[in-house]
Amino acid sequence: FEDSLINQGAAGGGEAANRLLNNIKRSIQQHEGAIHWKIIVRVYANIEGLLKKFAYIGFIEEEKALCQFVAGFTQSQPLFDFVDAGQGKERADHKIKGELRATLSAKASPYLTSCF
């Protein structure tokens, strides 16, 4: 996400979610029936680690901006979540693998794209 959006807090999080949704819709529009697909986005991250790193490199102006950004992202779209996976190298990977297993076993989605 752009640092300017993160520094806008909740408004930036909402804008980031809306941009992402629009980009996803544009990229899947050529698929038959895509207009009816439910778009679910889950972002898994170590929030505390991001806060420390972003503050260290000067990416964010205030630490609370990231927390507000996360809330704005999650609240702006009903099927978008920004999840704190906690500290540890493999935490986010563990969450992503679990999500993929659950999604693929449900066989409810004809189209699945994952970005790591």
Side-chain angles (χ1 to χ4, degrees):
F1 299 108
E2 298 173 13
D3 59 341
S4 62
L5 290 177
I6 293 172
N7 283 305
Q8 291 176 33
E15 177 65 20
N18 290 333
R19 286 185 191 180
L20 181 57
L21 179 62
N22 289 331
N23 285 333
I24 292 169
K25 284 180 177 180
R26 273 194 296 276
S27 72
I28 65 171
Q29 68 185 355
Q30 74 276 9
H31 296 280
E32 187 176 330
I35 195 166
H36 302 293
W37 293 356
K38 290 179 174 39
I39 298 170
I40 301 169
V41 173
R42 300 249 186 333
V43 177
Y44 297 100
N46 172 358
I47 302 294
E48 186 177 337
L50 282 177
L51 274 172
K52 289 178 184 175
K53 186 65 158 182
F54 287 174
Y56 177 76
I57 63 173
F59 193 70
I60 56 173
E61 297 164 11
E62 296 181 43
E63 285 190 8
K64 69 179 181 178
L66 179 60
C67 295
Q68 293 169 343
F69 174 88
V70 167
F73 182 91
T74 298
Q75 294 167 1
S76 70
Q77 296 295 329
L79 298 176
F80 278 34
D81 294 308
F82 201 120
V83 180
D84 186 356
Q87 294 181 329
K89 184 179 177 190
E90 302 297 324
R91 301 288 176 150
D93 291 348
H94 177 70
K95 298 295 284 182
I96 292 167
K97 288 174 186 173
E99 181 73 28
L100 286 172
R101 275 190 224 106
T103 302
L104 293 173
S105 68
K107 297 181 184 170
S109 176
Y111 189 83
L112 177 66
T113 300
S114 300
C115 300
F116 301 95

